[in-house]
Amino acid sequence: MKRQVVSWLVLLIISLVTVTGCTDSIDINDLALVMAIGVDTKGTSHQVEVTAQIARPADAVGQTGAPTGGTGEPTWTAKAQGRSLFEAMRNLMRYASRRIYFAHNKVIVFSEAYARQGLADAIDFFSRNHELRMRTWVAITPKKASDLVATKTGMQVIPADSIEKMFRYSGFAAKAPRINLMQLEADLLSPTSDPVLPKVDLLQNGLAMSSTDKKKSETQVELAGAGIFERDRFRGWLTNRETQGLLWFISPPHSRVYVFGCPTSDQKVSVEIKKYHFTLMPKWLKNRLSYDVSLDDDAQLVEVGCRYSLFDPGNKKAVEQQVNQRMETEIRQVWRRMQKEKLDFLRLGDHLKAMYPWRTESHRDDFDQLLPSIQLTLHIHTQLRSAALLQQPMTPGNP
Amino acid sequence: MVTEMTTPILIALIINLIYAKAIGLTEGIAAREVGNDFWMATLMAILQGAVMMVITVLLIKQNAKEDLVQRAKSIVGPILGGLIGLLFVLYFAGAYAVVMITFVDHLRDYFLPELPTIVFVIVASLVALYAMQKGIVVTGRIAVVGVFSIILLNILLMIGTIEDFNIERLFPVFRTGIMATFLASRHADTDFAMASMMTGMILPYIAQKDKWIKATLTGVFYGGVLVMLWPILECGVLTAPETGHYIVACMQMARSAEIGWFVHRYEMIMVAFFAISLLVQLMMLLYCGVEAIAHTFTQKSSRLWLPITALFSMTSYLIVIDHRRTMQFLSVIWPPFSLAIAFLVIALLLVIGYVQKFIKQRQRFASMKKS
């Protein structure tokens, strides 16, 4: 009996030390919650410069950001350099008074200069880190990444939250692809695909409430296209039209807006595409590879500035043709760019692999060289089905 | 102390024994070997697991009161049987280390990287020791809870990743060839082997002998289906190269789930569900190890609880302390060793058992004829 009591006591003491959750714990007040990371090169010296936007929870409380912690600033931005990304991150701790913690990080921004040197080691570092979420958004900027990370932008109290939400709802704006760490990693590891990242830039015309009276503009972060990569190295920027063509292939938009001139006046007609079905079908016939792209969509009239009725068959057909034409132009433009650059950022190889595995295998190493000879067949079919709530447009003096 | 157990508990135990290692470490190893055919390899392993299970059950059915070690002794005699018993002990020590690797790699690498490895090993072993002291019936009941948590975990993960699922990533199948995929299935086979070896040790305590085959195959089937979801999702969401890059692929999967937007650090919830299955594995493998050594040396098993727990923990610690050693053990040493025992030795014993039975029957028939 006595022996049993002693054994239970020993077990209890061991359990107290090991299983109460106190071991290895870090108090939340000792953590510096990183919300956004910017990665730049430092001058010409191959040094990495890391900028971290760190939340100050005490000053970020409440939806309005009413300060309780003293400074009124919901974030604190810190910058450090090192020979590698990890060393730079550690150097942040030279003056950060808390332990750097990445689990809440929302976005990673690479500068163009850094991306030209290759992202492989950065992706490796972020993938190895157990704190980081794989759904962290990744972007590239032609500016200094530190400037973007340090910019107060959007409606959220924490700027990184604004950027994160901007990405999450970017399907409506359809100005840039949505790429997270998981997708970037998959593109990098794919034997045929080349990565593509959304471009973020600084916009000078965002107005802040406090500055409206002074007619002063405030810098905001905006989605502004896409950057293409050869393996892990940055190659170039896509134009706005090319980016919109790219989205059909890799980052399906939630909606698309097309604006045309009225046939009878200088006013505009706006059409929204919400429902669509996009398919990409590779065909390998007589040693020639081609892709059939099929895009069936339903359009809706959303804004009409002239006398224009959906019930006139001629009007309907004219709009449908114009939408088809616009879509075809953007898809053909991005296709031509892909062929010119010989980079598979449209992930054609991945589609081919599923249909023609053995042929893909034989072109595993030279798939990029195959791209210029690939033919594209487009089947776009737009149906203008709805005029939203109105039967007739609101034209002045026309009851 | 041991009483009879029911077949649902046996099914629950089999599902738990297959699950925990199979969804993470095994898939990563197989993906490194055969790319996106790793999900096909897992599918093949379910069939092979069923075969291993049937062989084990048939061996025990030859004398329903004996477990694997006792059967070995009865079939090939006490000395050779004792040696086979020692092999079984080695098997359970290895299997315990494999599950300990799974336990430690999940918790240490993703949550508590600074905590000394020994703490994980001690805590897990203490839980297993405690369960053993309570008996396998209690562990069996925990296994039932484990099955529900496994189902919940699978549902949560499915909901959380379905948006990113791309079925094209599962194809082409057999890109590396049918033979290579079949060979890669050996990694998942080792997970089914754990279940069949455990079944071999506890079957004498399961009532309704006539339902053994049906119950064990049900366990393998459901365990296989619950495991299968993971390689399919891992391949369709993460892609095979990405799965192969990680040591614990299932945690990577949880870290990438859409649900992470709403439930921050979702992998913590995942581990909470999944830990029950892991701990049931440790409990049962420790129990089987103790029983195997007790029957090999005809000792009372309760006297061996502490020394065997210490021995198994120490072996596991020595392997799990080093990542390189861990992967070497899991991907190179463990599959041939495990399958040689769980499949070849058991099959050999079964055949010898049948031959002996046949000879005995003929002798009896001859003596009856004489008289």
Side-chain angles (χ1 to χ4, degrees):
Chain A
M1 182 67 192
K2 197 177 165 188
R3 216 174 124 191
Q4 210 175 4
V5 171
V6 171
S7 346
W8 276 112
L9 272 176
V10 170
L11 194 68
L12 198 69
I13 291 164
I14 294 173
S15 303
L16 273 176
V17 177
T18 55
V19 294
T20 47
C22 298
T23 320
D24 205 19
S25 66
I26 304 166
D27 205 305
I28 198 158
N29 292 331
D30 294 330
L31 293 175
L33 306 175
V34 175
M35 304 304 287
I37 299 170
V39 185
D40 290 293
T41 47
K42 176 72 180 163
T44 51
S45 60
H46 290 286
Q47 286 253 320
V48 182
E49 185 178 83
V50 171
T51 310
Q53 185 188 101
I54 295 165
R56 301 165 59 93
D59 284 319
V61 289
Q63 291 298 307
T64 58
T68 60
T71 67
E73 293 292 333
T75 57
W76 175 69
T77 308
K79 203 190 266 189
Q81 293 89 36
R83 283 165 300 173
S84 69
L85 202 51
F86 184 58
E87 191 178 71
M89 294 278 188
R90 276 294 150 94
N91 286 342
L92 277 175
M93 293 192 66
R94 280 184 185 172
Y95 57 93
S97 50
R98 294 179 178 192
R99 185 178 163 150
I100 304 291
Y101 185 63
F102 294 106
H104 294 265
N105 186 46
K106 311 275 186 190
V107 60
I108 300 165
V109 183
F110 294 105
S111 71
E112 182 185 331
Y114 182 84
R116 282 193 187 281
Q117 294 174 10
L119 296 183
D121 62 337
I123 298 166
D124 183 273
F125 168 76
F126 289 122
S127 308
R128 268 179 213 275
N129 189 307
H130 74 281
E131 289 171 359
L132 261 164
R133 316 284 76 209
M134 296 312 285
R135 287 190 172 268
T136 305
W137 299 112
V138 188
I140 180 170
T141 177
K143 303 265 175 20
K144 289 274 288 176
S146 57
D147 291 346
L148 264 103
V149 169
T151 301
K152 285 176 202 158
T153 184
M155 294 169 71
Q156 308 302 122
V157 176
I158 308 270
D161 275 341
S162 299
I163 299 177
E164 188 266 305
K165 287 201 161 58
M166 181 176 78
F167 270 108
R168 213 191 296 180
Y169 303 116
S170 68
F172 292 99
K175 295 291 181 196
R178 302 193 302 163
I179 305 287
N180 56 30
L181 206 49
M182 180 172 64
Q183 183 58 57
L184 178 61
E185 210 175 294
D187 284 342
L188 193 78
L189 294 174
S190 163
T192 52
S193 298
D194 290 291
V196 57
L197 283 182
K199 176 184 173 186
V200 284
D201 209 342
L202 292 171
L203 178 74
Q204 291 298 334
N205 61 358
L207 283 175
M209 269 178 70
S210 57
S211 59
T212 44
D213 294 341
K214 299 169 202 164
K215 303 272 187 252
K216 189 182 146 193
S217 72
E218 190 168 273
T219 310
Q220 300 282 301
V221 174
E222 66 160 347
L223 292 171
I228 50 173
F229 287 73
E230 181 178 4
R231 301 283 88 193
D232 69 318
R233 283 170 198 269
F234 177 75
R235 178 74 87 76
W237 301 107
L238 294 184
T239 63
N240 192 26
R241 192 59 68 81
E242 287 166 350
T243 305
Q244 292 188 325
L246 167 89
L247 295 182
W248 296 113
F249 290 85
I250 69 160
S251 188
H254 284 122
S255 101
R256 286 295 310 274
V257 177
Y258 292 97
V259 183
F260 313 103
C262 281
T264 52
S265 70
D266 58 353
Q267 298 297 315
K268 298 280 189 282
V269 175
S270 298
V271 166
E272 187 183 20
I273 310 290
K274 265 185 172 173
K275 291 179 190 163
Y276 61 87
H277 183 63
F278 179 88
T279 53
L280 182 64
M281 191 62 72
K283 277 185 182 166
W284 207 311
L285 291 170
K286 293 179 187 168
N287 276 334
R288 270 193 81 91
L289 177 61
S290 66
Y291 279 79
D292 276 5
V293 170
S294 157
L295 179 55
D296 292 314
D297 57 277
D298 286 356
Q300 175 178 285
L301 274 179
V302 286
E303 189 181 339
V304 179
C306 53
R307 285 187 66 82
Y308 182 95
S309 169
L310 180 66
F311 298 95
D312 178 340
N315 282 348
K316 180 175 177 290
K317 194 151 188 161
V319 168
E320 286 171 351
Q321 274 175 352
Q322 290 201 65
V323 174
N324 285 349
Q325 212 170 4
R326 287 281 178 88
M327 286 175 166
E328 183 170 347
T329 309
E330 60 193 35
I331 290 175
R332 287 210 183 274
Q333 278 193 10
V334 75
W335 190 272
R336 276 197 289 274
R337 182 69 187 273
M338 174 203 72
Q339 293 187 313
K340 186 184 159 202
E341 301 282 352
K342 292 184 186 168
L343 295 175
D344 182 21
F345 52 81
L346 299 182
R347 298 181 195 148
L348 300 182
D350 290 345
H351 289 277
L352 188 69
K353 195 181 81 177
M355 292 286 288
Y356 299 96
W358 313 114
R359 287 193 190 239
T360 315
E361 195 59 35
S362 62
H363 288 286
R364 191 184 162 98
D365 298 325
D366 64 345
F367 187 73
D368 285 350
Q369 300 305 315
L370 213 69
L371 294 173
S373 62
I374 298 178
Q375 287 204 325
L376 168 70
T377 314
L378 266 173
H379 309 278
I380 301 177
H381 185 234
T382 302
Q383 285 268 29
L384 186 58
R385 290 184 194 274
S386 160
L389 303 184
L390 296 184
Q391 173 102 349
Q392 295 293 333
M394 295 276 188
T395 42
N398 188 31
Chain B
M1 190 167 64
V2 170
T3 51
E4 276 195 339
M5 290 198 294
T6 56
T7 43
I9 285 185
L10 175 68
I11 294 170
L13 280 170
I14 291 171
I15 293 171
N16 279 273
L17 262 281
I18 294 169
Y19 190 76
K21 187 213 151 214
I23 64 167
L25 290 162
T26 305
E27 304 308 342
I29 295 168
R32 280 191 282 283
E33 212 169 292
V34 287
N36 63 341
D37 281 335
F38 74 96
W39 70 275
M40 286 299 291
T42 312
L43 196 64
M44 284 180 171
I46 298 176
L47 298 175
Q48 294 161 56
V51 173
M52 275 190 282
M53 186 60 88
V54 170
I55 291 173
T56 312
V57 175
L58 289 178
L59 176 67
I60 301 300
K61 263 193 155 183
Q62 287 175 348
N63 185 347
K65 286 178 184 160
E66 291 179 337
D67 63 20
L68 282 179
V69 181
Q70 290 162 328
R71 279 301 302 136
K73 278 182 159 181
S74 305
I75 291 170
V76 292
I79 297 175
L80 201 55
L83 284 174
I84 292 174
L86 276 180
L87 264 182
F88 290 158
V89 175
L90 271 180
Y91 174 87
F92 287 117
Y96 190 85
V98 165
V99 180
M100 190 60 85
I101 290 167
T102 314
F103 181 78
V104 173
D105 278 359
H106 277 77
L107 293 181
R108 182 186 59 190
D109 293 358
Y110 283 84
F111 300 108
L112 301 162
E114 283 152 41
L115 197 66
T117 307
I118 190 78
V119 177
F120 296 101
V121 177
I122 290 174
V123 170
S125 297
L126 280 178
V127 174
L129 181 66
Y130 178 67
M132 195 162 57
Q133 187 256 334
K134 290 284 173 197
I136 53 165
V137 179
V138 175
T139 309
R141 286 176 197 150
I142 298 172
V144 177
V145 180
V147 170
F148 284 109
S149 65
I150 286 170
I151 292 168
L152 262 176
L153 173 59
N154 276 18
I155 291 171
L156 269 178
L157 192 89
M158 208 157 55
I159 296 168
T161 54
I162 205 80
E163 198 185 294
D164 295 310
F165 185 74
N166 181 357
I167 197 160
E168 274 189 0
R169 289 172 174 168
L170 300 183
F171 300 102
V173 289
F174 298 127
R175 190 180 63 83
T176 49
I178 296 175
M179 201 56 205
T181 310
F182 174 75
L183 283 176
S185 68
R186 71 188 187 281
H187 299 293
D189 283 346
T190 60
D191 305 323
F192 288 93
M194 267 193 254
S196 68
M197 287 295 283
M198 180 254 340
T199 307
M201 294 302 291
I202 64 165
L203 260 188
Y205 306 125
I206 309 294
Q208 297 169 299
K209 186 183 161 187
D210 52 321
K211 286 187 180 173
W212 281 0
I213 289 199
K214 194 182 167 193
T216 50
L217 285 181
T218 308
V220 170
F221 174 76
Y222 282 119
V225 167
L226 289 167
V227 166
M228 248 340 268
L229 180 90
W230 286 81
I232 288 175
L233 286 180
E234 279 161 357
C235 194
V237 176
L238 289 182
T239 73
E242 210 174 325
T243 307
H245 268 72
Y246 288 90
I247 293 169
V248 188
C250 62
M251 287 301 273
Q252 182 56 19
M253 184 76 197
R255 202 155 73 111
S256 311
E258 176 80 11
I259 199 168
W261 283 122
F262 314 106
V263 186
H264 198 71
R265 303 217 76 181
Y266 162 70
E267 63 264 37
M268 230 178 249
I269 293 172
M270 176 186 146
V271 159
F273 284 134
F274 160 87
I276 301 173
S277 166
L278 258 175
L279 290 172
V280 167
Q281 283 190 325
L282 285 174
M283 292 165 191
M284 288 312 294
L285 292 169
L286 185 62
Y287 169 82
C288 292
V290 169
E291 287 296 307
I293 206 156
H295 292 162
T296 303
F297 297 108
T298 336
Q299 293 284 317
K300 203 177 164 197
S301 57
S302 58
R303 282 187 192 166
L304 297 163
W305 288 354
L306 269 176
I308 293 298
T309 309
L311 187 74
F312 278 20
S313 308
M314 207 170 66
T315 322
S316 308
Y317 175 71
L318 290 176
I319 296 171
V320 83
I321 189 83
D322 182 343
H323 254 158
R324 219 165 50 90
R325 199 180 296 156
T326 300
M327 292 324 286
Q328 175 82 1
F329 181 71
L330 280 183
S331 51
V332 182
I333 301 167
W334 181 242
F337 177 76
S338 157
L339 297 179
I341 292 173
F343 183 69
L344 288 182
V345 174
I346 302 288
L348 199 68
L349 286 174
L350 179 70
V351 172
I352 298 171
Y354 274 134
V355 171
Q356 283 178 346
K357 198 177 166 188
F358 179 70
I359 293 169
K360 268 183 196 166
Q361 270 177 350
R362 282 198 65 171
Q363 281 172 348
R364 203 180 303 146
F365 186 65
S367 63
M368 271 169 70
K369 227 175 170 184
K370 253 184 192 175
S371 61

